[in-house]
Amino acid sequence: MIATIEHFISSSQSVFTPESLRELYLEAIEDEGYQNAVFARTRDGRLVDIPWTRFPEGYADCYVANQWDKLDPVVHFVRLARCPFSWEDVCARMNLSADQKRFLAACRDMGVHSGVTVPLHGPGTDIDLISLSLRDEKRAPEGRMATIYGLSFQYRIRLSEITDECAKPRSELTSKEVECLQWCKEGKTNWEIGEILSISEKTVEFHVSNTIRKLGVSNRITAVVKAIQIGIISI
């Protein structure tokens, strides 16, 4: 189990787009025996977004068109869950209505059954979830819940990292601007930086002003902080 998760963590650090991360995750969960998967976002017991799915053809469209999230016991239960759970356990604990039982039967007929869900709690009542399920008529893998949790949690963490990276401003600083910024971090004045780099104080002021403008900040201190945050200079 640990080796599986460690391999996925290592592999996920080598991909840099949400699409490639998703494919890597889908490969990992298929190795765990699951053919279906969905990453969804919920709020107050209803689906609000479905970033991606891998289901039998037509299933996702049918689910959305029929507003099956109103009936889905998994979506209802995820608000209460703090750890991964199997659909079978949830259904056994709930007093399912006739409509819910028909919904589950329709899912099985369409090749979606014997699933597990990993709740990923966010701010307020927002809860992301990853659900994995079987397509073929066979038994779900046993004793792998911890691995599923580890893989899914790493997927979520790495997705956040990639998303944050994509949102960072792509400020192209010149090498001289970076040099000046690095010395600003050390607390040097424009005159001192000029002496170190063998350029005039006015030239340093020019480079620092350009850096502030490119980074969209108001002064040299915030320029240094932002440059560290986005990896332009090191601590």
Side-chain angles (χ1 to χ4, degrees), residues 40-223:
R41 296 190 168 101
T42 74
R43 181 177 301 142
D44 298 323
R46 293 295 305 274
L47 290 182
V48 293
D49 188 26
I50 306 175
W52 56 258
T53 68
R54 185 175 71 177
F55 281 128
E57 185 176 356
Y59 176 80
D61 290 339
C62 191
Y63 189 103
V64 172
N66 289 298
Q67 297 186 332
W68 275 348
D69 59 315
K70 291 181 178 180
L71 297 173
D72 194 340
V74 169
V75 175
H76 293 178
F77 185 76
V78 77
R79 290 180 292 176
L80 307 175
R82 296 293 169 183
C83 58
F85 57 88
S86 73
W87 298 357
E88 182 180 9
D89 288 344
V90 167
C91 292
R93 294 169 59 178
M94 298 178 68
N95 184 21
L96 299 178
S97 67
D99 285 341
Q100 286 178 312
K101 291 177 181 178
R102 282 191 289 270
F103 156 72
L104 293 172
C107 291
R108 178 173 287 274
D109 289 343
M110 297 181 73
V112 179
H113 64 91
S114 306
V116 296
T117 293
V118 180
L120 302 164
H121 288 263
T125 59
D126 291 357
I127 306 172
D128 292 353
L129 64 85
I130 292 178
S131 283
L132 314 176
S133 57
L134 301 186
R135 189 171 303 190
D136 303 325
E137 288 297 331
K138 60 182 180 181
R139 292 181 60 84
E142 296 182 2
R144 303 296 293 176
M145 192 69 86
T147 301
I148 294 300
Y149 191 22
L151 294 173
S152 302
F153 194 67
Q154 172 60 19
Y155 168 80
R156 167 72 173 277
I157 291 174
R158 182 60 184 143
L159 179 63
S160 296
E161 291 174 347
I162 291 173
T163 302
D164 288 346
E165 183 68 26
C166 291
K168 289 175 182 176
R170 299 300 179 184
S171 305
E172 294 189 5
L173 302 185
T174 66
S175 59
K176 194 61 71 178
E177 288 167 351
V178 173
E179 279 187 292
C180 290
L181 196 56
Q182 192 75 48
W183 286 113
C184 286
K185 181 182 74 70
E186 301 299 327
K188 303 297 184 182
T189 66
N190 287 351
W191 181 85
E192 290 171 326
I193 296 171
E195 290 295 301
I196 293 169
L197 300 180
S198 300
I199 56 179
S200 71
E201 184 176 359
K202 283 291 185 183
T203 301
V204 174
E205 183 180 343
F206 173 78
H207 289 316
V208 172
S209 296
N210 278 345
T211 299
I212 290 170
R213 176 181 56 79
K214 288 181 179 180
L215 293 177
V217 294
S218 58
N219 56 58
R220 61 200 291 150
I221 295 175
T222 52

Side-chain angles (χ1 to χ4, degrees), residues 5-17 20-22 24-25 150-151 153-162 165:
I5 296 173
E6 285 184 342
H7 176 72
F8 181 71
I9 291 173
S10 175
S11 299
S12 68
Q13 296 302 317
S14 301
V15 298
F16 301 97
T17 67
S20 55
L21 178 65
R22 180 190 65 217
L24 190 68
Y25 176 75
L151 294 173
F153 194 67
Q154 172 60 19
Y155 168 80
R156 167 72 173 277
I157 291 174
R158 182 60 184 143
L159 179 63
S160 296
E161 291 174 347
I162 291 173
E165 183 68 26

Side-chain angles (χ1 to χ4, degrees), residues 20-38:
S20 55
L21 178 65
R22 180 190 65 217
E23 292 307 310
L24 190 68
Y25 176 75
L26 290 174
E27 289 177 12
I29 62 96
E30 188 165 9
D31 288 343
E32 291 295 316
Y34 293 94
Q35 301 83 38
N36 302 324
V38 57

